[in-house]
């Protein structure tokens, strides 16, 4: 861009001093002609670096997921190819499911067995409870009859004494009282026998069979869920749209559940990060939502419209480690690390494939000095046209 401005300036100088000779070409005019563009370009560029800062280091970055199997086992199928587009939910690899299916079957059988035991324990417990309730109800009913019989004995005794009643009725009522007393004693004996059974089960710990059976069933259900989860883990699906790099997994290999030993690397492509790196004094006017333009070497002569998402106000140089060690004072000053600005690609270029690691440049247009934005935009467009050329001689 500087070259274009100098060419335009040279044409104007030629027209004024040589073509139309509007001004004399002497030592004074020569000094002015030479110093004016230097001073003007310096001022313009210095102000433009503040209100429309540019970056020669713009990077496209993607999340890389280390793929670690949920379960360990022998790989039976790897239906993907490295560095090929993969859709979310596609199968990345499969592990032999036979041992995990057997674990599910065993857990289901154990759960069914425990449920049968629970039903048996509940039925026996309910039987004892019903027998005790029936014995208690029988005792209560006999007690009511006994009270009534005792009242009748008293009444017949009074009638027989006064001569208004028969002696036989008195004796019959007394016989009923004796019979009911005997029945009550039998009912109480039966009630006591049932309680002894319940007490014996309590002492032996058998009274908690139902609670224990329920606890065992809950554990068996959890084991079944875990077994099914492991069985589902034998088929590993793609977590997002992307592609697989450094694929070395093959059928027959044993995949092990070790976080530090992934079987492949999955590169997401749905939400790439575009970072532009700036010196720390260039971002004084940059704000969220500012317009931005970038160009990548993978797309020569193409401007990608963006907007500022956020500024990452942190660098490794500013990290204070939490430890018992005192900070180390280096013998010389470390260079200032640059600040990263995250850019969001505008909808018109949202579907553009941004290769992880693609490099380029760009600029951010702040709300200040908008009359200089047009010069920066020309700079950016000239720079992206240069990417057409490959500067090497072999």
């Amino acid at each position: 861009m500087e070259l274009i401005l100098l060419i335009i300036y040279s044409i104007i100088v030629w027209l004024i001093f040589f073509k139309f000779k509007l001004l004399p070409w002497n030592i004074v005019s020569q000094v002015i002609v030479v110093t004016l563009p230097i001073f003007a370009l310096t001022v313009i560029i210095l102000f433009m670096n503040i209100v429309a800062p540019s970056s020669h280091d713009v990077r496209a970055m993607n999340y890389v997921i280390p793929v670690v199997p949920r379960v360990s086992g022998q790989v039976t199928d790897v239906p993907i190819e490295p560095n090929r587009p993969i859709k979310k939910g596609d199968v990345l690899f499969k592990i032999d499911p036979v041992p995990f299916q057997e674990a599910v079957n065993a857990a289901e059988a154990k759960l069914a067995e425990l449920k049968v035991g629970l039903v048996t324990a509940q039925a026996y417990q309910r039987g004892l409870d019903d027998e005790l309730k029936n014995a208690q109800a029988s005792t209560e009913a006999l007690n009511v009859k006994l009270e009534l019989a005792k009242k009748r004995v008293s009444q017949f005794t009074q009638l027989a004494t006064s001569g208004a009643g028969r002696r036989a009725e008195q004796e019959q009522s007394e016989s009923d009282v004796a019979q009911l007393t005997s029945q009550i004693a039998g009912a109480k004996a039966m009630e006591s026998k049932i309680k002894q059974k319940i007490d014996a089960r309590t002492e032996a710990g058998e009274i908690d069979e139902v609670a224990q059976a329920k606890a065992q069933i809950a554990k068996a259900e959890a084991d079944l869920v875990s077994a099914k989860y492991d069985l589902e883990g034998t088929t590993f699906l793609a977590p997002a749209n992307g592609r697989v790099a450094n694929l070395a997994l093959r059928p027959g290999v044993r995949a092990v559940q070790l976080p530090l030993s992934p079987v492949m690397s999955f590169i997401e492509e749905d939400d790439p990060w575009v970072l532009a790196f700036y010196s720390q004094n260039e971002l004084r006017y940059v704000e969220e939502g500012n317009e931005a333009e970038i160009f990548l070497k993978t797309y020569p002569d193409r401007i990608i419209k963006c907007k500022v998402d956020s500024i990452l106000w942190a660098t490794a140089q500013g990290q204070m480690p939490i430890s018992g060690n005192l900070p180390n004072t280096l013998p010389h000053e470390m260079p200032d690390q640059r600040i990263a600005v995250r850019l969001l690609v505008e909808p018109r270029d949202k579907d553009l494939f941004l290769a992880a690691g693609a490099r380029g440049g760009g600029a951010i247009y702040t709300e200040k000095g908008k009359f200089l934005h047009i010069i920066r935009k020309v700079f950016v467009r000239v720079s992206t046209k240069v990417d057409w050329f490959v500067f090497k001689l072999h």
Side-chain angles (χ1 to χ4, degrees), residues 9 21 42 52 72 93 106 151 155 166 171 181 205 216 219 222 237 255-256 266 275 281 354 391:
Y9 178 75
K21 297 182 180 180
T42 302
S72 300
F93 63 92
K151 289 181 180 179
Q155 292 172 355
R166 293 182 298 174
E171 292 175 353
T181 302
Q216 291 175 352
K219 183 179 182 303
L237 305 179
V256 183
F266 185 85
L275 297 180
N281 60 346
L354 302 181
F391 296 100

Side-chain angles (χ1 to χ4, degrees), residues 190-209:
M190 179 61 69
E191 183 179 342
S192 176
K193 184 178 179 181
I194 296 172
K195 286 182 178 180
Q196 287 178 358
K197 289 183 179 181
I198 295 175
D199 292 339
R201 285 169 55 82
T202 302
E203 293 177 358
E206 296 177 356
I207 195 67
D208 295 329
E209 283 183 357

Side-chain angles (χ1 to χ4, degrees), residues 183-311:
Q183 292 178 354
I184 289 173
K188 287 183 176 180
M190 179 61 69
E191 183 179 342
S192 176
K193 184 178 179 181
I194 296 172
K195 286 182 178 180
Q196 287 178 358
K197 289 183 179 181
I198 295 175
D199 292 339
R201 285 169 55 82
T202 302
E203 293 177 358
E206 296 177 356
I207 195 67
D208 295 329
E209 283 183 357
V210 174
Q212 292 175 0
K214 289 182 178 180
Q216 291 175 352
I217 287 175
K219 183 179 182 303
E221 289 176 344
D223 292 341
L224 178 59
V225 171
S226 178
K228 288 183 177 180
Y229 181 76
D230 289 343
L231 179 60
E232 292 175 357
T234 58
T235 300
F236 200 99
L237 305 179
N241 296 330
R243 61 189 65 218
V244 170
N246 67 334
L247 178 62
L249 196 63
R250 290 292 182 270
V253 175
R254 181 171 178 80
V256 183
Q257 187 184 7
L258 290 177
L260 299 179
S261 180
V263 297
M264 64 181 69
S265 297
F266 185 85
I267 304 173
E268 284 191 11
E269 296 179 354
D270 288 337
D271 188 21
W273 279 54
V274 178
L275 297 180
F277 293 87
Y278 286 90
S279 298
Q280 298 186 9
N281 60 346
E282 292 184 88
L283 302 176
R284 66 190 74 177
Y285 295 133
V286 175
E287 300 175 348
E288 295 181 9
N290 285 157
E291 178 190 0
E293 292 179 338
I294 65 171
F295 56 92
L296 300 176
K297 293 184 180 298
T298 53
Y299 296 103
D301 197 22
R302 176 162 184 169
I303 298 297
I304 303 173
K305 291 286 186 178
C306 302
K307 67 177 180 179
V308 176
D309 174 73
S310 58
I311 302 175

